[in-house]
């Protein structure tokens, strides 16, 4: 792995957003548009954390090899941040989406709380760098007990976000890498390659729209490139097409 100064991160500011389950990640992370909505003010000290459960290793052996393979149990992860807005929306994230609004406007604490289900996005800004965690589906609920510790700092609601598998996805959440410009070209092969060297692979066929093919004539039998979602694409002489040339 080569040194890449542009891939380092010092968080200067950030935002946490939610949207209906299944909402795509915004095209512009700096200016997320509707239906993405900011959850509000969050802690400057306890910015973001990820904890995990599971993932225990079990060594499987044969009579001839006692350590033939290793099998890992499923791992679940929880993203955590501290929300510092005690409005209705913030209280419902903490106490449950089914927390009732009482006649006097206060928020009731349900005896059988239901986590909020939503798409979740955490965006962190470091100068010109933008780094994000995105989950198309997540359960959002309290992550710890509420405690008011002093009179010198803003009180907070510890929020936990559990990413979940959405639809046919084989992943629960995605992370945007730093220091990698998107590919601008694709060279035919079996499979082919993207240029410039070290550039980020287009996520899917739609992301190939601005990629220039080499050669610009129709690719020949078997030639293709592999996209970020593991699908294949090839140049038919006029457009990018799913699959490989035949």
């Amino acid at each position: 792995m080569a040194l890449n100064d542009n891939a380092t991160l010092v968080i200067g500011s950030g935002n946490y957003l939610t949207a209906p389950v299944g909402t795509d990640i915004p095209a512009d992370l700096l200016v997320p548009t509707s239906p993405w909505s900011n959850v509000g003010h969050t802690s400057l000290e306890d910015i973001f954390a990820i904890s995990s459960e599971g993932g225990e290793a079990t060594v499987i052996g044969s009579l001839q090899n006692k350590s033939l393979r290793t099998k890992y149990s499923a791992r679940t992860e929880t993203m955590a941040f501290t929300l510092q807005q005690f409005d209705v929306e913030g209280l419902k994230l903490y106490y449950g989406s089914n927390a009732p609004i009482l006649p006097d406007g206060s928020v009731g604490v349900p005896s059988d709380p239901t986590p909020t289900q939503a798409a979740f996005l955490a965006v962190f800004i470091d100068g010109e760098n933008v780094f994000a965690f995105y989950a198309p589906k997540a359960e959002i609920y309290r992550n710890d007990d509420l405690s008011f510790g002093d009179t010198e700092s803003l009180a907070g609601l510890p929020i936990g976000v559990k990413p979940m598998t959405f639809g046919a996805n084989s992943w629960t959440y995605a992370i945007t890498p730093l220091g990698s410009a998107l590919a601008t070209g694709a060279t035919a092969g079996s499979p082919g390659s993207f240029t410039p060297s070290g550039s980020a692979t287009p996520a899917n066929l739609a992301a190939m729209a601005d990629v220039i093919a080499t050669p610009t004539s129709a690719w020949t039998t078997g030639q293709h490139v592999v996209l970020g979602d593991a699908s294949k694409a090839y140049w038919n002489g006029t457009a990018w097409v799913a699959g490989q040339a035949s």
Side-chain angles (χ1 to χ4, degrees), residues 182-183 201-211 227 240:
L182 288 175
T201 300
N204 48 39
L205 185 62
M208 292 289 288
D210 296 324
V211 176
L227 307 180
W240 291 105

Side-chain angles (χ1 to χ4, degrees), residues 219-235:
W219 289 7
T220 58
T221 301
Q223 292 184 327
H224 66 277
V225 287
V226 179
L227 307 180
D229 61 1
S231 65
K232 298 177 181 179
Y234 70 95
W235 182 252

Side-chain angles (χ1 to χ4, degrees), residues 33-225:
T33 57
S34 180
W36 286 103
S37 176
N38 200 313
V39 301
H41 290 287
T42 59
S43 173
L44 187 60
E45 286 78 27
D46 302 321
I47 296 176
F48 191 73
I50 298 179
S51 59
S52 63
E53 296 179 0
E56 292 84 5
T58 302
V59 177
I60 303 173
S62 68
L63 186 62
Q64 291 71 35
N65 186 341
K66 301 299 190 295
S67 303
L68 182 62
R69 296 179 58 184
T70 303
K71 182 179 180 180
Y72 294 89
S73 63
R75 181 182 295 275
T76 59
E77 295 184 287
T78 301
M79 302 174 180
F81 65 95
T82 301
L83 180 62
Q84 293 178 322
Q85 258 182 228
F86 287 73
D87 51 13
V88 171
E89 291 79 7
L91 291 171
K92 288 172 76 72
L93 284 181
Y94 183 78
Y95 286 109
S97 62
N98 59 334
I101 308 302
L102 304 181
D104 64 356
S106 59
V107 176
V109 178
S111 57
D112 187 14
T114 300
T116 297
Q117 283 202 357
F120 176 76
L121 179 66
V123 179
F124 302 110
I125 302 166
D126 174 12
E128 295 183 355
N129 278 343
V130 182
F131 185 64
F133 294 86
Y134 161 70
K137 180 180 180 181
E139 286 193 346
I140 306 173
Y141 185 56
R142 64 194 296 171
N143 194 50
D144 204 349
D145 294 337
L146 181 61
S147 176
F148 299 145
D150 59 67
T151 60
E152 304 297 327
S153 56
L154 292 171
L157 297 163
I159 301 294
V161 180
K162 293 184 182 297
M164 305 173 71
T165 302
F166 175 69
N169 291 345
S170 60
W171 49 278
T172 56
Y173 67 96
I175 307 166
T176 60
L178 291 175
S180 300
L182 288 175
T184 56
T187 303
S190 301
S193 59
F194 290 100
T195 56
S197 178
S199 58
T201 300
N204 48 39
L205 185 62
M208 292 289 288
D210 296 324
V211 176
I212 299 172
T214 302
T216 55
S217 57
W219 289 7
T220 58
T221 301
Q223 292 184 327
H224 66 277
V225 287

